[in-house]
């Protein structure tokens, strides 16, 4: 499942968020955090298990990748579909990726039934997500440009027009910049740069796309 139709924007969490939801004596401790890999998600889940080792269940869901196409969830012993899926649905409702929500349950002695559990886990997850805050990230492709001093004005005009983020710079007899260009605009940026400099200068795409905190 891919969350986004745009190629260079996704939404994740700005910070961690925690919430406590109580239903008929059972306490549901929810924690929402930003993660960028499956390994990071699994480590975060393990950390919660260790910290809350006396709890009855540790249910969770996460989604990673700029397109949000890698996701997992777990009911951790609760009736199938009553914990992990409602947590994931709350994340999907906010179009989130690179995010994890763990809801830890301390059983209070009263059975809640499938409907009660689904509501409880979903409510706890939503509360933690609300406190974590949603933020837009821009996917930028690193591009290296080189140009002579006399071409500084047209080159900088192109950089400003495309909101290119300068990541590295070197100034000698020529200017060499590594800039982050929105993934969807790389080809257009390259053409504009070459046109503005009438074919002078150099431009090359570098490495893998990177996530930038702009927006």
């Amino acid at each position: 499942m891919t969350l986004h139709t745009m190629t260079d924007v996704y939404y994740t969490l700005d910070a961690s968020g925690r919430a406590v939801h109580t239903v008929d004596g059972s306490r549901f401790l929810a924690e929402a955090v930003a993660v960028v890999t499956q390994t990071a998600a699994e480590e975060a889940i393990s950390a919660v298990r260790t910290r809350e080792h006396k709890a009855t269940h540790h249910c969770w869901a996460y989604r990673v990748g700029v397109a949000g196409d890698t996701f997992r969830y777990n009911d951790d012993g609760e009736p199938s579909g009553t914990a992990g899926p409602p947590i994931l649905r709350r994340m999907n409702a906010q179009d989130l990726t690179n995010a994890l929500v763990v809801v830890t349950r301390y059983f209070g002695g009263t059975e809640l039934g499938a409907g009660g559990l689904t509501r409880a886990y979903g409510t706890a997850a939503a509360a933690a997500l609300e406190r974590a805050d949603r933020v837009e990230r821009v996917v930028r492709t690193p591009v290296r440009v080189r140009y002579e001093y006399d071409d500084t004005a047209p080159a900088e005009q192109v950089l400003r027009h495309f909101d290119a983020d300068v990541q590295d710079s070197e100034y000698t007899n020529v200017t060499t910049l590594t800039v982050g260009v929105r993934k969807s605009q790389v080809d257009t940026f390259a053409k504009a740069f070459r046109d503005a400099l009438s074919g002078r200068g150099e431009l090359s795409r570098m490495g893998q796309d990177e996530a930038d905190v702009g927006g």
Side-chain angles (χ1 to χ4, degrees), residues 1-4 9-14 33-37 61-71 88 90-100 129 133-137 139 211:
M1 174 182 176
T2 300
L3 294 181
H4 315 290
V9 173
Y10 68 93
Y11 299 94
T12 186
L13 301 179
D14 191 36
V33 297
V35 293
V36 295
T37 64
Y62 66 79
R63 186 181 288 279
V64 295
V66 171
D69 50 6
T70 298
F71 64 94
L88 184 63
R90 294 291 185 158
M91 295 172 60
N92 290 348
Q94 295 193 32
D95 205 23
L96 291 171
T97 188
N98 284 355
L100 159 74
L129 287 169
D133 293 329
R134 180 175 178 265
V135 64
E136 178 184 278
R137 303 293 192 205
V139 181

Side-chain angles (χ1 to χ4, degrees), residues 22-162:
T22 303
V23 181
D24 291 343
S26 283
R27 285 191 305 134
F28 296 83
L29 282 60
E31 183 170 353
V33 297
V35 293
V36 295
T37 64
Q38 289 183 266
T39 298
E42 298 293 346
E43 289 175 350
I45 294 165
S46 179
V48 172
R49 286 185 179 277
T50 299
R51 188 184 70 227
E52 307 290 343
H53 62 275
K54 294 184 179 180
T56 315
H57 304 279
H58 302 281
C59 305
W60 49 263
Y62 66 79
R63 186 181 288 279
V64 295
V66 171
D69 50 6
T70 298
F71 64 94
R72 301 284 186 276
Y73 58 82
N74 193 296
D75 294 313
D76 195 34
E78 294 283 32
S80 179
T82 62
I87 296 171
L88 184 63
R89 284 195 292 272
R90 294 291 185 158
M91 295 172 60
N92 290 348
Q94 295 193 32
D95 205 23
L96 291 171
T97 188
N98 284 355
L100 159 74
V101 178
V102 182
V103 181
T104 296
R105 181 190 183 189
Y106 284 87
F107 182 58
T110 301
E111 298 288 349
L112 301 182
L117 287 172
T118 299
R119 287 189 295 274
Y121 278 103
T123 299
L129 287 169
E130 182 177 353
R131 294 183 180 183
D133 293 329
R134 180 175 178 265
V135 64
E136 178 184 278
R137 303 293 192 205
V138 176
V139 181
R140 297 183 185 269
T141 297
V143 177
R144 179 173 292 161
V145 296
R146 299 184 69 197
Y147 52 88
E148 300 284 346
Y149 176 79
D150 289 345
D151 286 322
T152 297
E156 289 186 345
Q157 184 177 6
V158 174
L159 295 176
R160 287 194 298 270
H161 178 75
F162 284 88

